[in-house]
Amino acid sequence: MMKTILITLAAVLSAGTLSAGNSVFSSMGFPYQYYGADAYGLTMGETGLADVFRKNTGYANPAMHNLSNKMLISTGLMFGYSYYEMANGEGAGYTDNSLDLPFFSISAPFRKHRLGLQFNSYASGNLRNELRIDSLGIVEKHEFDKYIYRADVVYSYNLGRLKLGISGNYLFGHDDHYFTQEGQFGVFNTKEILRRNFKNPTVTAGILTHWERWSMGAYYTAGTVLKGDLVRSSIHETESAEDYEYELPPHIAAGVTVIPVPTVKISADIHYDPWSTVDENRYENSYRIAIGVAYEPVWEIGSSALSAVPWRMGASYRRLPFHDKDSNTIAEYSVSCGMSLPLSRDANQIDLGFIALRRGALSSNTLQETSLMFVVGITGFDILTREPTRTAPRYIPKAEELAN
């Protein structure tokens, strides 16, 4: 069954062009940011950097060393719609769609060590905008295509109640801007393209401690300067490449998970990015606060009772690092919910969920967007393998009769 699901997801991805992180604020910066969570964490308020009380986790905190001694693989899809609104008149709205593969992780234990790989979307922002001035016969188009990806090599060491971890992080991406203006101008029609590509590594260190019903953890990612090149093109020529840099500040995160009763779990995380250290005139310090609650009863295969289905929900608040065109702060609110469907084998499960997000406000930013996203995740340690059937005939020797 797991192989069938993987093939289906691959077919969906290959059926069309991926378009992710769509936002009406993309012209101002990178509005979307992911924090290393898997589908389970995404649908629990995007929390869980200290949650050791489940079979699989995201590895943004490299100290994450879950209590199961199994190889774990996790991936998933996020898809849905965003509705943009503008405060400049009636009917100024637009609906956009989105499809993303936000994460993939694999983790394997070896005695007290755990080694892992993780690939995820780090930040993004995509937008297509068209302006028509019918009285002048002008059509003006802007397109923003920006993405930063992150690939991690993760190592953690288990000291009993204390876990320590470190990861090497490689970030790479692009920030492209396309502009065209067409009208009754003949050779004076305009087409300009600004392409920026950048990359560089950094490092993350984490710590985690846990007891029977609670855990807490934190991690720190060093700031880095992504370096690359910038190329300007127009309808007339393509200029020579120039050096380009995009600076990222340090990232600090901490979280706690508590189990007040055996079937209920509560997680709370906070993330902080001191963007003002990069450029205090363009940015302000960004933070995100999230909380999630999960109900996790004991699951028995074949059970159909609603009370036996694990479910969760969460909420978050985030202040974006950049301002709007009038230098006002942009805020983001989200609520989420989800459920898990354990499969026939020990650590395999499907996670389903829903995220509703509101970014910006018409009253303060003159722009506002509402996103409704669905999440499908796959978790397991035997996704790519199958248990041996052991049905082949075997030779059983007969007992030898000894003469008296």
Side-chain angles (χ1 to χ4, degrees), residues 252-284:
I252 306 166
V256 61
T257 297
V258 179
I259 302 178
V261 296
T263 57
V264 176
K265 179 174 61 179
I266 302 172
S267 291
D269 292 357
I270 182 169
H271 298 263
Y272 179 71
D273 297 277
W275 275 95
S276 63
T277 61
V278 175
D279 187 338
E280 63 180 4
N281 295 320
R282 293 181 57 195
Y283 302 111
E284 62 178 313

Side-chain angles (χ1 to χ4, degrees), residues 232-246:
R232 292 184 176 89
S233 301
S234 70
I235 197 171
H236 304 293
E237 64 175 342
T238 298
E239 300 178 6
S240 300
E242 304 175 15
D243 292 338
Y244 178 76
E245 294 183 351
Y246 182 77

Side-chain angles (χ1 to χ4, degrees), residues 117-145:
L117 298 172
Q118 178 162 273
F119 179 84
N120 65 278
S121 307
Y122 178 78
S124 61
N126 296 298
L127 177 67
R128 292 183 179 181
N129 181 46
E130 180 177 307
L131 174 66
R132 292 179 176 271
I133 306 176
D134 294 332
S135 60
L136 299 177
I138 296 175
V139 178
E140 185 177 293
K141 297 181 181 179
H142 289 266
E143 181 178 347
F144 299 90
D145 177 9

Side-chain angles (χ1 to χ4, degrees), residues 50-318:
D51 185 2
V52 299
F53 304 110
R54 62 187 185 92
K55 296 173 182 177
N56 189 64
T57 59
Y59 300 99
N61 182 359
M64 185 57 66
H65 195 112
N66 61 73
L67 304 182
S68 68
N69 192 36
K70 299 182 182 300
M71 178 177 178
L72 298 171
I73 302 174
S74 183
T75 188
L77 281 176
M78 181 184 295
F79 54 94
Y81 295 90
S82 297
Y83 180 69
Y84 310 146
E85 297 177 81
M86 305 175 66
N88 63 348
E90 185 178 350
Y94 176 72
T95 300
D96 203 357
N97 55 32
S98 181
L99 173 64
D100 194 12
L101 181 68
F103 67 93
F104 172 83
S105 67
I106 180 170
S107 176
F110 178 71
R111 297 178 181 175
K112 292 185 178 182
H113 313 271
R114 183 170 281 273
L115 301 174
L117 298 172
Q118 178 162 273
F119 179 84
N120 65 278
S121 307
Y122 178 78
S124 61
N126 296 298
L127 177 67
R128 292 183 179 181
N129 181 46
E130 180 177 307
L131 174 66
R132 292 179 176 271
I133 306 176
D134 294 332
S135 60
L136 299 177
I138 296 175
V139 178
E140 185 177 293
K141 297 181 181 179
H142 289 266
E143 181 178 347
F144 299 90
D145 177 9
K146 51 182 68 180
Y147 229 115
I148 301 177
Y149 304 93
R150 173 171 160 166
D152 302 337
V153 178
V154 185
Y155 169 77
S156 66
Y157 186 74
N158 186 356
L159 293 169
R161 299 291 184 186
L162 180 67
K163 278 80 174 169
L164 302 175
I166 189 169
S167 66
N169 322 122
Y170 189 75
L171 296 108
F172 59 98
H174 62 268
D175 183 353
D176 299 338
H177 180 197
Y178 304 85
F179 169 75
T180 61
Q181 186 184 75
E182 298 177 353
Q184 300 173 359
F185 311 124
V187 297
F188 295 101
N189 287 338
T190 299
K191 179 179 180 181
E192 298 179 1
I193 302 175
L194 183 63
R195 298 181 185 271
R196 289 163 285 200
N197 297 282
F198 36 77
K199 58 188 176 182
N200 231 357
T202 186
V203 66
T204 300
I207 186 171
L208 191 153
T209 185
H210 72 94
W211 298 91
E212 183 177 356
R213 289 197 175 187
W214 67 274
S215 63
M216 59 187 302
Y219 69 87
Y220 173 85
T221 301
T224 185
V225 178
L226 306 183
K227 297 183 178 182
D229 55 51
L230 179 154
V231 177
R232 292 184 176 89
S233 301
S234 70
I235 197 171
H236 304 293
E237 64 175 342
T238 298
E239 300 178 6
S240 300
E242 304 175 15
D243 292 338
Y244 178 76
E245 294 183 351
Y246 182 77
E247 185 175 355
L248 291 174
H251 181 80
I252 306 166
V256 61
T257 297
V258 179
I259 302 178
V261 296
T263 57
V264 176
K265 179 174 61 179
I266 302 172
S267 291
D269 292 357
I270 182 169
H271 298 263
Y272 179 71
D273 297 277
W275 275 95
S276 63
T277 61
V278 175
D279 187 338
E280 63 180 4
N281 295 320
R282 293 181 57 195
Y283 302 111
E284 62 178 313
N285 295 334
S286 173
Y287 62 87
R288 184 179 188 274
I289 302 171
I291 187 170
V293 180
Y295 169 69
E296 296 187 339
V298 177
W299 176 275
E300 296 181 359
I301 299 300
S303 174
S304 59
L306 185 60
S307 61
V309 175
W311 59 266
R312 52 199 168 269
M313 59 184 180
S316 71
Y317 169 82
R318 174 178 169 233

